[in-house]
Amino acid sequence: EILQRIQEFFSATYSLHQEAGESAGLLAGKRVLLTAGPTREAIDPVRYLSNHSSGKMGFALAAAAAKEGADVTLVAGPCELTTPAGVTRVDVVSAQDMHSAVMANLAGQDIFIGCAAVADFRPMNIAEQKMKKQDNQNEMQISLIKNPDILASVAQQEGAPFCVGFAAETENVEAYARKKLAQKGIQLIIANDVSQADVGFNSENNAVIAISASATQHFTINSKTEIANQLIALISSELKT
Amino acid sequence: EILQRIQEFFSATYSLHQEAGESAGLLAGKRVLLTAGPTREAIDPVRYLSNHSSGKMGFALAAAAAKEGADVTLVAGPCELTTPAGVTRVDVVSAQDMHSAVMANLAGQDIFIGCAAVADFRPMNIAEQKMKKQDNQNEMQISLIKNPDILASVAQQEGAPFCVGFAAETENVEAYARKKLAQKGIQLIIANDVSQADVGFNSENNAVIAISASATQHFTINSKTEIANQLIALISSELKT
């Protein structure tokens, strides 16, 4: 609650500055669309597949972009985080929902940041009623089918925005990230090693590598808020070159 | 925060009453072991299977039992709820962890309440590294294996406590619950229909049917706190007969 009041105070102060024209921010006049959090893929009415993304990094990026004057839309998977001041939030559950919400909000965006940990696969069939185990059933199979690739879909659009992806890996982090950059046809990829306990999914901190076609930049361990500020500054400078 | 202070005030008041010997509670001198919340079954370091249990009903039961003077141990799956005053909490993630924690805390318990939504199945193999999708892979299979049945394991112990199970169903609620009561060899089963939006997993309210070998009792829609008080009163009276 105290944190929220401090945020409100600063965003109010910031709005005053903006109105006074003192500082319009690095992303003034730009429109930014982000995704954050995990997705949940229903198996039946009570069971689902998901992942450990907390949404904190995506929400920090949305806050940082708004602070720099951008018009920010945040498509969020299931996570109980407070919407940053000045950010328009669209809540979704599954990867298909997220894909639809992104496509519906894509027109006129300058920057797309795909920070959500989107499930690569979803159950092929969603049972309408809770699946009952049979009395002597000791094993079970779930058949999965590929979800739409949101980042690649956005990057392939005509007049696509500047596209930033994330790669959360547990091994060969930089190599996998470079491959993803090329395959998806995006401008920048932010890679992190989620196998380290002190950074990544459920931590307040992060440490990332930003990789573009021409450069690699390391951001050492810091709060997600600070990493978000650094990444928004990087994105705004890449956007201008 | 206000709610927490009110709770603290009442539990402090209650302790004073207890010390003064004014009221020892319906479960004074009894030991109660509960499970609550979902379990998470790892697929790889970032992905998991889970379910929509919020843990609210189990936490409300733990609070109600403690209020009635019981010595309460609560084995909780992943849920961000405040531990009720006077309750010993053991946090777990998977069904196997929950089974171990229950067995380790079972000695000397008078009542066991299995309120957790334990995953029936877990992935047969947990990948040590994040599973990578192949470039042209459109489908995937996950093989699952049965988890230990915590409620049946407890009920089968020699000198087992009074055992209470929960049945969260989306159809044929009462019939499935009666079958579960008999199969698991427990004394009481609390059934609810989680397909109704106004009760069940993510709601503050619940409506349940309590079924024993000899009786069926309907508890109409009410806050989970009030339903918990009613169920603890029922359990304490069943325990004495």
Side-chain angles (χ1 to χ4, degrees), chain B residues 17-41:
Chain B
H17 281 277
Q18 275 196 306
E19 280 167 30
E22 287 181 38
S23 160
L26 292 171
L27 293 177
K30 298 293 179 191
R31 297 187 65 205
V32 178
L33 180 63
L34 298 103
T35 63
T39 66
R40 279 188 191 164
E41 310 299 322

Side-chain angles (χ1 to χ4, degrees), chain B:
Chain B
E1 209 180 339
I2 290 167
L3 265 177
Q4 209 179 340
R5 284 201 197 160
I6 293 172
Q7 277 178 343
E8 282 165 8
F9 172 78
F10 279 109
S11 64
T13 311
Y14 188 75
S15 302
L16 286 175
H17 281 277
Q18 275 196 306
E19 280 167 30
E22 287 181 38
S23 160
L26 292 171
L27 293 177
K30 298 293 179 191
R31 297 187 65 205
V32 178
L33 180 63
L34 298 103
T35 63
T39 66
R40 279 188 191 164
E41 310 299 322
I43 298 172
D44 66 20
V46 298
R47 299 178 177 97
Y48 60 81
L49 286 171
S50 194
N51 64 65
H52 291 293
S53 170
S54 64
K56 286 173 189 166
M57 193 64 228
F59 276 62
L61 282 164
K67 197 162 61 82
E68 291 300 339
D71 178 355
V72 180
T73 303
L74 174 62
V75 178
C79 50
E80 295 186 7
L81 296 175
T82 307
T83 310
V87 168
T88 303
R89 176 171 175 170
V90 181
D91 283 313
V92 298
V93 175
S94 70
Q96 289 178 297
D97 294 346
M98 189 173 273
H99 183 263
S100 303
V102 165
M103 290 304 156
N105 285 282
L106 191 59
Q109 298 291 347
D110 298 291
I111 300 168
F112 174 74
I113 306 178
C115 189
V118 182
D120 291 326
F121 292 87
R122 67 176 181 274
M124 206 171 290
N125 305 299
I126 302 176
E128 278 182 42
Q129 302 295 342
K130 185 181 173 187
M131 289 158 63
K132 306 297 295 177
K133 61 172 181 284
Q134 302 306 308
D135 292 345
N136 292 309
Q137 185 186 354
N138 282 314
E139 296 182 14
M140 193 179 149
Q141 297 281 329
I142 302 182
S143 297
L144 305 175
I145 189 167
K146 212 179 196 172
N147 267 324
D149 185 330
I150 299 173
L151 195 53
S153 303
V154 171
Q156 281 157 18
Q157 298 288 308
E158 213 173 321
F162 183 90
C163 286
V164 184
F166 273 74
E169 303 295 347
T170 57
E171 56 178 351
N172 306 330
V173 176
E174 200 168 333
Y176 280 137
R178 285 205 174 280
K179 189 177 164 201
K180 206 167 170 180
L181 181 79
Q183 275 182 341
K184 294 188 190 269
I186 60 178
Q187 281 71 49
L188 189 67
I189 196 147
I190 315 299
N192 67 342
D193 183 346
V194 293
S195 71
Q196 298 177 248
D198 55 345
V199 298
F201 276 180
N202 277 308
S203 164
E204 297 301 323
N205 295 325
N206 209 349
V208 301
I209 312 171
I211 300 164
S212 67
S214 60
T216 297
Q217 207 170 326
H218 289 258
F219 294 87
T220 54
I221 188 162
N222 218 319
S223 71
K224 286 188 176 174
T225 302
E226 192 45 47
I227 294 280
N229 289 336
Q230 293 168 356
L231 291 177
I232 290 297
L234 172 67
I235 291 165
S236 102
S237 73
E238 293 275 327
L239 194 65
K240 285 182 186 113
T241 58

Side-chain angles (χ1 to χ4, degrees), chain A residues 14-205:
Chain A
Y14 186 77
S15 300
L16 286 176
H17 280 279
Q18 273 198 308
E19 282 167 28
E22 289 183 35
S23 160
L26 292 171
L27 292 177
K30 298 293 181 192
R31 297 188 64 203
V32 178
L33 179 64
L34 298 103
T35 63
T39 65
R40 278 188 191 164
E41 309 299 322
I43 299 171
D44 66 21
V46 297
R47 301 179 177 95
Y48 60 81
L49 287 169
S50 193
N51 63 65
H52 292 292
S53 170
S54 64
K56 286 174 191 166
M57 193 64 227
F59 275 63
L61 283 163
K67 195 161 63 81
E68 290 301 339
D71 178 355
V72 180
T73 303
L74 173 61
V75 179
C79 49
E80 295 186 8
L81 295 174
T82 306
T83 310
V87 168
T88 303
R89 175 172 179 172
V90 181
D91 283 310
V92 297
V93 174
S94 70
Q96 288 177 298
D97 295 345
M98 189 174 272
H99 182 264
S100 303
V102 164
M103 291 305 158
N105 284 282
L106 191 58
Q109 298 291 347
D110 298 291
I111 300 168
F112 174 73
I113 307 178
C115 189
V118 182
D120 292 325
F121 292 88
R122 67 176 181 276
M124 205 171 290
N125 304 300
I126 302 177
E128 278 183 40
Q129 301 296 339
K130 185 180 172 189
M131 289 158 65
K132 306 296 297 177
K133 61 173 182 282
Q134 302 306 309
D135 293 345
N136 292 309
Q137 186 187 355
N138 282 313
E139 296 181 12
M140 193 179 150
Q141 298 282 327
I142 301 182
S143 297
L144 306 175
I145 189 165
K146 212 177 198 175
N147 266 324
D149 186 330
I150 299 173
L151 195 52
S153 303
V154 172
Q156 282 156 18
Q157 298 290 310
E158 212 172 322
F162 183 90
C163 285
V164 184
F166 273 73
E169 302 294 347
T170 57
E171 57 179 350
N172 306 329
V173 176
E174 201 168 332
Y176 282 137
R178 284 205 173 282
K179 190 177 164 199
K180 204 166 170 179
L181 182 79
Q183 275 182 339
K184 295 186 191 270
I186 60 178
Q187 282 70 49
L188 189 67
I189 195 149
I190 315 299
N192 68 343
D193 183 345
V194 292
S195 71
Q196 296 175 251
D198 56 344
V199 298
F201 277 178
N202 277 309
S203 164
E204 295 302 323
N205 295 324

